[in-house]
Amino acid sequence: MPNSATEKTKSGRKKALFIFMSSVMLLSVVIVWVGFFYRPSDLVTMKVKDRSDAAKTFQLRKATTPAEQEKGLSGTTNLAHQTGMIFIFQRPTNLCFWMKEMNYPIDMVWVDSDKKVVAVEANVSPKTYPEQSFCHEGKYVIEVPANAAKKSGITKGSRLTF
């Protein structure tokens, strides 16, 4: 006849092992996610000065490889305040962007080699895909939360530092 105390001990150990392994797996996923999205070397600090001369700061994740640039922010569920993505190209060219697999609206900012804003597309909806692409000359394209460009004083002609 099985001993109920032994059965309870085995059951408790199995439960504790399950909780421990689940915690380890969750922690591993969090570490990988943080490492993928927030490696300090992959972040750029961008500043823009508004009319009050107060600098607005954004933390931008770099997209430099063709794969990173094609994916961009696609599939993400939101973009935190004062964050975004910067697409860095080798030379100025006509750069076209679309809203494939986007889940929220964003502002797109085209910037030339001198870090001067040449165009802003504000509050671009995911519903514009696939019918519409947004194209302007530039060396960099910056994506920030919808309406963040206007709130931060980013307009055509603005100078950015990054």
Side-chain angles (χ1 to χ4, degrees):
M1 178 178 237
N3 182 340
S4 67
T6 304
E7 291 291 323
K8 285 181 182 178
T9 302
K10 286 182 182 179
S11 175
R13 285 183 184 157
K14 285 182 182 179
K15 189 182 232 180
L17 181 60
F18 175 78
I19 291 170
F20 174 76
M21 293 304 292
S22 298
S23 299
V24 168
M25 289 176 62
L26 178 61
L27 182 60
S28 298
V29 169
V30 168
I31 289 170
V32 168
W33 183 83
V34 168
F36 178 77
F37 286 107
Y38 294 106
R39 292 178 291 199
S41 62
D42 286 346
L43 292 178
V44 171
T45 299
M46 178 190 76
K47 292 184 181 181
V48 59
K49 289 188 176 185
D50 65 12
R51 291 181 191 97
S52 69
D53 212 26
K56 306 290 184 182
T57 303
F58 288 82
Q59 291 297 316
L60 306 174
R61 192 173 53 151
K62 289 189 225 176
T64 56
T65 68
E68 291 170 335
Q69 291 169 346
E70 184 176 342
K71 180 169 174 53
L73 295 170
S74 296
T76 60
T77 56
N78 65 1
L79 194 54
H81 179 67
Q82 301 301 109
T83 65
M85 180 168 272
I86 183 169
F87 298 79
I88 303 170
F89 296 91
Q90 293 297 316
R91 61 183 93 44
T93 188
N94 189 42
L95 302 169
C96 294
F97 281 66
W98 62 83
M99 296 294 285
K100 183 178 180 184
E101 297 176 4
M102 285 295 293
N103 297 306
Y104 51 92
I106 59 172
D107 290 348
M108 298 179 199
V109 181
W110 281 257
V111 181
D112 68 13
S113 298
D114 296 324
K115 299 180 181 166
K116 180 180 173 185
V117 175
V118 295
V120 177
E121 295 285 350
N123 201 20
V124 179
S125 169
K127 294 177 184 177
T128 59
Y129 183 81
E131 290 82 25
Q132 196 171 2
S133 290
F134 302 87
C135 304
H136 298 280
E137 285 287 320
K139 183 175 189 306
Y140 309 94
V141 176
I142 297 167
E143 295 179 342
V144 294
N147 303 309
K150 184 176 181 179
K151 289 176 186 173
S152 299
I154 300 172
T155 59
K156 185 175 179 179
S158 295
R159 294 250 180 221
L160 307 176
T161 59
F162 48 87

